[in-house]
Amino acid sequence: MDKLLETIKTLTLEEKASLLSGRDAWNTEEIERLGTGYVRMSDGPCGLRCVDVGDDKKEHARPSTAFPAISLAACSFDRELLYEFGSALAEESRENGVDLLLGPGVNLKRSPLCGRNFEYFSEDPLVAGELGAAYVKGLQDAGVGATLKHFALNNQEKARLCSSSVADERARRELYLAPFETVVKKAQPWAVMCAYNKVDGEYCSENPTLFRDILRNEWGFDGLVMSDWGAVCDRRAGLKAGLDLEMPGNEGLNDRVLTKAVTEGALPESFLDESARRVLALAKKARAAKNIPHTPETSEARHERARRIAARSMVLLKNEGGLLPLASGEQLAVLGEYAHTPRFQGGGSANVKAERVSTFLGELETASKDFTFLPVYNAQSGEAESGALAEAAEAARSKSAAVVFAGTPASWECEGYDRPHLRLPETQNELIARVAAENPNTVVVLFAAGPLEMPWIESVSAVLFCYLPGQAGAAAVADVLFGRVSPDGRLAETFPLKLSDTPCFPYFGEEHVALYRESLFVGYRYYDSAKIPVLFPFGHGLSYTEFLYEGLSVSRSGPTEAKLCFTLKNIGAHAAFETVQVYVAPPKSVVFHPVQELRAFEKVFLQPGEQKRLELTLGERAFSFYNPLLHGWQVLGGAYELRVGASSRDVRLTGSVELAATHPDAPLPDFKKAAPEYYDPKRIQSVSDESFAAVLGRPLPRHSMRPFTRNSTLQEISATWTGKKINALVRKIALGAPPPEGEQDLSAMLEGQAPYLPIFSLVSGTKGALSYEILDGLLLVMNCRPLRGAAKVVKNFFFNKSKKEQKDA
């Protein structure tokens, strides 16, 4: 690092500033005279989305492997499989000259509606952190850097560009920050990407508490902090807070902001030195990683790997009477267009231009299966054609089994906006009900970004949930249905009976101030504590075999640690994996807690009749809560119940351990009087302002639309004549041009984000054609100071024009 400091000393102020923003959309800047090199980036949590700029000046994605969505891979609960996933992505990245992959995202699934949940692991921080760390290690051990995102509290897509997430300190530390902490401490990703949203009214891109206090000083992160694309509001404030790199580049617009601030004495140059060193360190790391040996894979080998990851992760939700696996001679009615046109990935920056795509019909034809196929519904809308439902029911009647392919249309699940509900298209629900009425051996194969309501669940025999399984997903479905693979997936999130049962249902989707009133009661932590019936619990998943748990012994391995030993035996006829889950129930206290929390899990493979004696150790953190009065972690003294099982509601063994308290003299957060809802989880959906303010420790923030500022949104300024005109112009430019042929249509994503676009982004979005000074003039006009504002606009318009003419000359 000393050599880098020496290099920094040789740089001019302008060169230092140039390193702190991208050269373009996908590359960092380099100092050619010193041969510093640069870093090539690519989207890619679910597959490489490497883009090139064509002759038409538009981005075109290269074909690559569409791996399963992270939401599906997480259901494997398999660290080794996620390591392999990361390794596979690294190999393809290196073949395409990519140094840094923009993933994984470890944001928690606060609500099943979040439009980007298919990119995230779980509603549980342990699962998200452990699997995220494995993925990062797989990437980086193979020579490609990982970018941990989106830091932090980015749990909804609606208004993500302007909303402020407000959560109490315990919820932040125990839930939302915990996965990031685990990945940083266990895997040291090369980079961390900030989120678009604000936290407590301060944009993540300029939040020193997140970057300096927590990420670097507490967790020991030594890599680079970068922005999400277009997430920078105030570049000077961001640099001070610890944001090293702004992406994408904007032709030096904010570089000039920084150099001007330094020359005017408003910003110490040491901030530029610090961040420039990190950018150069990243480039040096990328160069060194190219020396790590690797063996390029063929397209076919990557496809097969994607198939295996998908098959190992799919979740068998129901299998009444052991209908699955299907016998080889079954006569099948295959119903639903998704058997022919697979629904395999989500939309937005994680969308991949797949090299090839398997189809279930193709798999059946290759295996010479006896089947009849009817498309029934349109793949784009998900709605059935006229008369198709009756025809499908008739076809199902004469077959030994019916396999219905159903799912949500791609337009429902995308970055930039949230899911509208948890329902299938209504005609698909009707299709399933009518087919099941004609054939008791009905199998439903579901494709969606997250949980679905299933009003027909009692009438079907089997349900296989596939999330968004990637380009080889259809082949993986065939592997599971015909018994070539025993289903190993377990739900990494709870499936509620209905949307209104979700803990944040009354609160989710708030536009400007997102109040996380439910605090710790997210996912199973709420459902289990409040004893809410669910469709399928967290951790649930069936297998083609059965497992016996027995012989639990629990001992204390330290003052605040415990060791569990028990035997797991495969008592069925199929070789398979079991996901062992350990939940901890805390002692009664004045501190509110969920009734139980997952504190350990292991994936275990057993042959028929095989048994293993397993030993798991729970460290101090497994018994700790974050005490905001102590500003640290604390263990309550007392008896902890340890529950070993196959889901949060399928506990097979229980034991207990008595632990000593840490910090026994520290005051405890007692809100029994000030916030009683948190001690009666059935009341979580009706937390009062007073109660949440008490737990939060301060008055609830409120959003004020006026006066208009650089942070105001297009929707807000549209209340004025000037703002209306600006809004119309921006929407015309952003939404008017169709995508290049064969490329993803992002119009729905842009449409969803447009109302919430902060107007400061218009400056970087126009590469400085609209300057901050002109924007400030327009704000004066909109804030009822038209003469002063118009004068500022005119003056700076001609000043900008003169500068451009000088540059062109």
Side-chain angles (χ1 to χ4, degrees), residues 24-209:
D24 50 36
W26 301 106
N27 299 281
T28 62
E29 189 56 87
E30 66 174 328
I31 307 300
E32 291 187 19
R33 67 180 179 84
L34 298 178
T36 60
Y38 63 93
V39 175
R40 169 76 168 168
M41 307 173 194
S42 171
D43 283 319
C46 314
L48 190 68
R49 195 181 77 91
C50 192
V51 299
D52 301 299
V53 178
D55 294 337
D56 57 1
K57 307 297 182 186
K58 295 181 179 179
E59 288 190 343
H60 296 262
R62 299 177 192 173
S64 61
T65 309
F67 285 92
I70 292 294
S71 57
L72 175 60
C75 293
S76 71
F77 278 74
D78 191 330
R79 296 171 179 85
E80 291 183 6
L81 196 69
L82 267 295
Y83 182 94
E84 181 183 347
F85 194 159
S87 178
L89 286 170
E91 294 296 340
E92 193 161 10
S93 297
R94 292 183 67 170
E95 288 174 33
N96 284 273
V98 171
D99 306 301
L100 185 70
L101 204 69
L102 304 178
V106 295
N107 300 83
L108 278 201
K109 298 182 181 184
R110 179 186 176 219
S111 166
L113 291 181
C114 177
R116 220 163 172 181
N117 272 358
F118 67 90
E119 293 185 52
Y120 302 146
F121 289 90
S122 179
E123 69 186 25
D124 183 81
L126 178 70
V127 176
E130 288 290 320
L131 298 185
Y135 175 107
V136 169
K137 287 178 182 176
L139 264 173
Q140 296 187 167
D141 286 353
V144 173
T147 307
L148 187 64
K149 61 183 188 181
H150 304 91
F151 193 57
L153 280 85
N154 179 196
N155 307 102
Q156 67 183 53
E157 288 299 285
K158 182 180 180 181
R160 68 176 181 172
L161 302 173
C162 64
S163 70
S164 177
S165 299
V166 179
D168 66 276
E169 192 65 15
R170 286 191 63 200
R172 291 189 202 193
R173 296 293 190 144
E174 295 180 34
L175 297 184
Y176 297 103
L177 295 181
F180 290 94
E181 179 183 4
T182 298
V183 177
V184 166
K185 288 182 174 179
K186 288 197 168 188
Q188 277 294 337
W190 289 8
V192 168
M193 179 190 289
C194 78
Y196 284 111
N197 55 282
K198 305 170 189 172
V199 172
D200 288 339
E202 191 168 42
Y203 274 107
C204 289
S205 63
E206 51 199 62
N207 195 309
T209 301

Side-chain angles (χ1 to χ4, degrees), residues 333-344 356-365 371-380 385 403-407 428 431 445 447 469-475 477-478:
V334 180
L335 308 168
E337 178 59 22
Y338 292 147
H340 175 257
T341 308
R343 170 87 167 92
F344 65 94
R356 53 180 287 197
V357 181
S358 296
T359 72
F360 188 69
L361 296 188
E363 295 298 313
L364 293 180
E365 289 165 354
F371 70 96
T372 297
F373 168 69
L374 292 174
V376 189
Y377 56 81
N378 178 279
Q380 278 69 47
E385 307 292 341
V403 183
V404 180
F405 279 67
Q428 290 190 34
L431 166 66
V445 182
F447 302 89
Q471 67 179 48
V477 169

Side-chain angles (χ1 to χ4, degrees), residues 497-805:
L497 281 168
K498 55 187 185 299
L499 176 60
S500 58
D501 288 340
T502 56
C504 63
F505 175 70
Y507 321 128
F508 183 78
E510 295 166 307
E511 290 188 358
H512 295 286
V513 182
L515 300 176
Y516 289 42
R517 293 176 189 256
E518 70 280 2
S519 185
L520 300 175
F521 295 94
V522 174
Y524 73 88
R525 285 169 166 78
Y526 166 68
Y527 299 113
D528 293 352
S529 299
K531 299 180 180 177
I532 303 294
V534 297
L535 186 59
F536 296 105
F538 176 86
H540 170 76
L542 303 177
S543 174
Y544 291 156
T545 194
E546 292 183 63
F547 294 95
L548 176 68
Y549 293 65
E550 59 185 0
L552 175 66
S553 66
V554 178
S555 60
R556 201 172 73 176
S557 53
T560 54
E561 296 181 352
K563 184 170 73 173
L564 302 85
C565 295
F566 60 95
T567 299
L568 182 70
K569 184 175 182 179
N570 183 343
I571 57 174
H574 294 262
F577 286 88
E578 173 67 317
T579 298
V580 171
Q581 302 159 47
V582 180
Y583 297 84
V584 173
K588 287 186 178 181
S589 164
V590 297
V591 181
F592 67 81
H593 281 96
V595 68
Q596 61 180 9
E597 297 179 274
L598 183 73
R599 294 310 196 199
F601 65 89
E602 286 295 330
K603 194 82 169 184
V604 183
F605 182 77
L606 294 175
Q607 294 288 345
E610 184 183 4
Q611 66 179 37
K612 285 184 180 177
R613 187 72 178 165
L614 303 177
E615 181 179 302
L616 299 174
T617 299
L618 301 181
E620 182 174 306
R621 185 67 174 265
F623 303 100
S624 299
F625 78 100
Y626 190 86
N627 187 340
L629 303 177
L630 187 65
H631 302 293
W633 297 91
Q634 181 176 3
V635 176
L636 296 170
Y640 290 80
E641 186 173 84
L642 308 183
R643 303 168 179 174
V644 182
S647 82
S648 75
R649 296 197 175 180
D650 183 8
V651 175
R652 309 290 181 86
L653 303 170
T654 60
S656 65
V657 64
E658 189 87 20
L659 297 179
T662 59
H663 310 288
D665 298 326
L668 297 176
D670 182 355
F671 297 105
K672 279 186 176 179
K673 291 183 179 179
E677 296 95 327
Y678 295 102
Y679 296 83
D680 180 8
K682 288 185 177 179
R683 299 171 61 189
I684 286 299
Q685 288 189 335
S686 56
V687 173
S688 69
D689 287 355
E690 294 76 17
S691 291
F692 186 51
V695 171
L696 192 63
R698 57 187 181 276
L700 301 189
R702 303 295 180 194
H703 177 72
S704 177
M705 192 170 82
R706 291 178 185 261
F708 299 117
T709 69
R710 292 181 182 181
N711 292 348
S712 296
T713 65
L714 286 178
Q715 185 179 65
E716 289 175 322
I717 66 171
S718 291
T720 71
W721 183 88
T722 304
K724 235 177 246 176
K725 296 297 181 184
I726 294 172
N727 189 6
L729 180 61
V730 170
R731 294 175 74 89
K732 182 179 178 181
I733 295 170
L735 303 175
E741 186 177 350
E743 299 298 316
Q744 180 186 190
D745 185 356
L746 294 175
S747 57
M749 172 180 162
L750 296 173
E751 185 73 45
Q753 292 189 94
Y756 309 108
L757 188 71
I759 58 175
F760 71 74
S761 61
L762 301 181
V763 177
S764 57
T766 59
K767 310 291 187 192
L770 171 69
S771 68
Y772 287 118
E773 290 78 13
I774 292 175
L775 179 62
D776 290 341
L778 292 171
L779 284 168
L780 285 169
V781 172
M782 290 184 281
N783 284 318
C784 303
R785 302 176 76 180
L787 295 179
R788 186 175 172 189
K792 192 175 182 75
V793 169
V794 171
K795 174 185 174 183
N796 285 284
F797 173 78
F798 286 109
F799 178 71
N800 262 23
K801 186 177 179 183
S802 172
K803 280 202 304 184
K804 186 177 187 306
E805 288 170 349

